[in-house]
Amino acid sequence: MESKIEINGLNIAVKEAGTGPDMVMIHGIFATKEIMNPLFNYYKDNYHVVSYDVRGHGESDKPENLTLEDYADDLAAIIEYYDMEHPIVIGLSMGSYITLRTAEKYPSLASKIVLIGTRGQGKISLMEKAVEENGGNADIDLKEMGRLIARRVYPPNTTPEQIVEYYRGNRGKTELTNEERKNIYASLAHYDMMSDIDNVEIPVLLLVGEFDGLNPPSESKIVADALKDSKLEIIEGAGHIIFFEKKDEVISLIDEFIN
């Protein structure tokens, strides 16, 4: 079932299915809840699963000012809205930052968390990285910037046909404007989850693709080493969105962790 709920003064687009233990899934930057479908469609058979468009994304409201703290507060509010009792939370990329920050800010909220393609700090924003890759030229089209970043998402030798197939049925319909993209970029400039990482008491599974060019395995290892109870798995042959290339392996590792 898809609907919109009102939390923290915003309308948030959500997808909900299944019965059983509670689970929340959070997409990455510029994506929508649909990108989590490979996992959502598997877990809805045995779990009560909620996936949502993060504020500023998809069909959710898009305020001008966005922060990681807002994202974390939204996740906490969604868990409260659905009266979830210590859910499992799975976050991809930016969704993993939201998941980790929420576990720091609200330590007793979740039972376990899964961080996919994560990092603990962002010293420069994605926009600044793209400018660097553009030879220092700040006059860069946002779509071109997206293409520069996309080159880091997939394993070597990935074909355009494979990318089309990856996204078949896993992409939302809403296209972000340049201004909306700028606001999202700004929300992840100079973020830091390492300062409060000692607040995280629950078990954490970190999954990262061997060929993740956005958040390489070394970044997940830094986070894993700083956590009290963590397990890190590097998925061979996978890129940033590991369940595109290695869905069965990813599901098996998550099943082992949560069961």
Side-chain angles (χ1 to χ4, degrees):
M1 179 179 70
E2 298 199 22
S3 62
K4 287 191 177 181
I5 62 173
E6 184 175 345
I7 57 154
N8 295 332
L10 296 178
N11 292 306
I12 299 295
V14 299
K15 181 164 64 171
E16 179 189 15
T19 58
D22 294 312
M23 180 180 286
V24 184
M25 297 183 180
I26 314 172
H27 63 78
I29 192 168
F30 300 146
T32 63
K33 57 188 178 298
E34 284 76 19
I35 205 170
M36 304 304 292
N37 281 349
L39 301 182
F40 186 97
N41 291 336
Y42 173 81
Y43 282 105
K44 70 180 182 180
D45 289 340
N46 294 294
Y47 289 81
H48 169 231
V49 188
V50 170
S51 185
Y52 66 98
D53 290 340
V54 173
R55 66 164 65 197
H57 294 72
E59 297 177 19
S60 291
D61 286 351
K62 299 174 180 64
E64 182 177 349
N65 296 312
L66 305 164
T67 69
L68 183 57
E69 298 303 305
D70 293 332
Y71 299 143
D73 291 343
D74 288 348
L75 173 56
I78 287 168
I79 290 171
E80 181 180 3
Y81 180 93
Y82 285 102
D83 197 24
M84 294 182 173
E85 186 173 353
H86 305 302
I88 296 157
V89 183
I90 301 174
L92 165 68
S93 193
M94 183 186 78
S96 74
Y97 314 160
I98 297 169
T99 300
L100 180 56
R101 182 60 191 141
T102 306
E104 294 174 342
K105 196 170 181 179
Y106 304 93
S108 62
L109 206 58
S111 59
K112 295 181 178 181
I113 59 175
V114 180
L115 309 179
I116 300 176
T118 199
R119 68 167 62 229
Q121 292 176 317
K123 294 182 180 178
I124 63 174
S125 70
L126 284 173
M127 184 175 286
E128 290 168 307
K129 287 180 185 178
V131 169
E132 283 184 357
E133 293 194 3
N134 198 39
N137 180 12
D139 185 18
I140 181 172
D141 178 78
L142 288 185
K143 287 191 175 180
E144 174 59 24
M145 181 160 54
R147 284 190 284 270
L148 288 170
I149 292 169
R151 293 173 192 169
R152 300 182 175 192
V153 172
Y154 309 104
N157 305 319
T158 301
T159 66
E161 292 76 17
Q162 285 175 311
I163 294 174
V164 169
E165 188 59 33
Y166 290 156
Y167 282 99
R168 193 181 305 279
N170 300 323
R171 188 192 293 276
K173 298 177 181 178
T174 304
E175 190 71 29
L176 296 171
T177 67
N178 274 4
E179 195 61 35
E180 288 164 350
R181 286 176 177 267
K182 285 180 181 178
N183 294 338
I184 294 168
Y185 274 125
S187 74
L188 292 184
H190 315 290
Y191 57 90
D192 174 26
M193 280 87 69
M194 300 303 289
S195 298
D196 294 327
I197 204 163
D198 282 346
N199 292 349
V200 181
E201 302 283 351
I202 58 177
V204 182
L205 174 65
L206 299 95
L207 302 175
V208 61
E210 174 189 9
F211 296 113
D212 188 336
L214 284 178
N215 293 335
S218 58
E219 295 292 344
S220 285
K221 187 176 188 307
I222 291 170
V223 176
D225 288 347
L227 288 162
K228 296 172 183 175
D229 184 358
S230 69
K231 182 178 183 181
L232 170 63
E233 297 282 357
I234 300 172
I235 312 301
E236 293 184 6
H240 186 59
I241 310 173
I242 54 175
F243 47 79
F244 275 177
E245 297 92 5
K246 300 287 183 177
K247 184 181 78 169
D248 291 345
E249 183 176 349
V250 169
I251 286 173
S252 177
L253 288 168
I254 295 175
D255 279 345
E256 181 183 349
F257 174 67
I258 63 181
N259 293 327

